[in-house]
Amino acid sequence: MQIADFGDIRLHYRTDGPADGPPVVFANSLGTDMRLWDPVLPLLPAGLRVIRYDKRGHGLSGCPAAPYSMGALVTDAEKLLDHLGVKDCIFVGLSIGGMIAQGLAVKRLDLVRGVVLSNTGARIGTQALWDDRIAAVRAGGIESLADAVMERWFSKAFRATPELELWRNMLTRQEAAGYAGCSAAISGTDFYTTTASLRLPALGIAGDEDGSTPPDLVRETIGLIPGSKFHLIRKAGHLPCVEQPEEYARVLTGFLRDTGHI
């Protein structure tokens, strides 16, 4: 675990694998930290340079006052990859992480050779939805939203298991300002036009029980990029890397191979 100080923000990040391995960068969802990817990483091929980080307001990264802009979140990722000397990575982003992936690929194609847009959209929700969620967090904290979030995040079967408490606790222990700040960033983002300009290998992944970014939204978003592929994971909600890590790792590994990254 390391901290990169960029002046306006300190980002917590971690690298695993050989420094000269093919870089794969993971950006997690709203309300989670880099541990989101723990179920998948042991199932990926050896030799990758795996880079994870906590976006601003989450995990062990700094938490500036809300609101945040998507531009700031994209710039954070850009600065981190420049700091680490990363070029031509595969960028795997889930939910807001997938929005960061879209924005970064448009801004710095030298950094990104392919994207995995997991459980995300070019636009997610409406301003009214996010305004209501931000107001709820400010009034009652993240705890006030937690049960509803679990229903969107996970399939009915997973919600009946003890493991649900791990992810509920992860959510409620994030900073309220960070959750509200990133909610504002999502609210103000519409990437339909810019994502449609991308010309790079792209894979969309959706969960069939996702209550946050339904499969049709993911399919529509990834379809903006010519030549892209789409994969639906069944018996999974918004975080298929948690519910179906074997299938998630298999699909991701196939994409790494198909693009010549490994």
Side-chain angles (χ1 to χ4, degrees):
M1 300 190 300
Q2 294 177 280
I3 289 282
D5 187 350
F6 299 124
D8 65 323
I9 186 67
R10 292 187 175 112
L11 290 182
H12 169 230
Y13 71 94
R14 173 171 176 161
T15 62
D16 293 282
D20 60 350
V24 182
V25 181
F26 291 87
N28 43 283
S29 59
L30 178 67
T32 67
D33 58 41
M34 66 168 66
R35 291 174 293 175
L36 175 67
W37 304 104
D38 284 353
V40 166
L41 297 188
L43 306 174
L44 296 178
L48 296 174
R49 183 187 185 192
V50 173
I51 299 160
R52 292 179 284 167
Y53 73 101
D54 292 332
K55 62 189 165 294
R56 61 173 60 205
H58 285 69
L60 301 182
S61 289
C63 184
Y68 311 152
S69 69
M70 188 59 64
L73 295 172
V74 169
T75 297
D76 290 346
E78 175 186 13
K79 288 180 177 178
L80 179 63
L81 297 191
D82 281 338
H83 173 72
L84 295 174
V86 171
K87 297 285 186 184
D88 296 326
C89 74
I90 298 294
F91 198 104
V92 184
L94 193 150
S95 193
I96 189 175
M99 295 184 118
I100 293 169
Q102 294 170 67
L104 183 63
V106 169
K107 186 178 183 183
R108 291 288 305 275
L109 200 54
D110 60 312
L111 300 181
V112 182
R113 65 169 304 201
V115 291
V116 178
L117 305 183
S118 179
N119 305 82
T120 191
R123 178 166 180 77
I124 299 176
T126 64
Q127 184 172 344
L129 178 151
W130 291 109
D131 286 348
D132 288 347
R133 204 166 292 178
I134 291 167
V137 168
R138 287 176 175 162
I142 298 176
E143 176 66 39
S144 66
L145 301 176
D147 290 339
V149 171
M150 292 301 101
E151 289 189 14
R152 293 192 296 269
W153 276 11
F154 295 113
S155 67
K156 184 177 180 180
F158 188 88
R159 295 199 306 273
T161 69
E163 284 74 24
L164 182 73
E165 189 168 356
L166 295 172
W167 302 96
R168 193 183 191 283
N169 287 345
M170 181 184 289
L171 170 68
T172 58
R173 292 173 188 179
Q174 302 300 323
E175 295 275 4
Y179 190 94
C182 285
S183 294
I186 297 172
S187 174
T189 299
D190 185 335
F191 277 154
Y192 274 100
T193 299
T194 51
T195 296
S197 73
L198 286 172
R199 299 295 182 269
L200 80 173
L203 168 67
I205 298 177
D208 71 338
E209 297 185 46
D210 187 343
S212 293
T213 51
D216 285 350
L217 174 62
V218 182
R219 191 190 302 271
E220 178 185 43
T221 298
I222 199 68
L224 297 170
I225 305 173
S228 62
K229 297 181 179 180
F230 173 81
H231 183 85
L232 179 66
I233 296 181
R234 301 195 182 279
K235 299 180 180 179
H238 191 53
L239 309 179
C241 51
V242 173
E243 292 196 70
Q244 303 294 343
E246 293 85 3
E247 183 173 353
Y248 199 99
R250 184 173 69 251
V251 172
L252 176 54
T253 299
F255 181 70
L256 297 176
R257 289 190 172 127
D258 290 347
T259 57
H261 201 59
I262 58 172

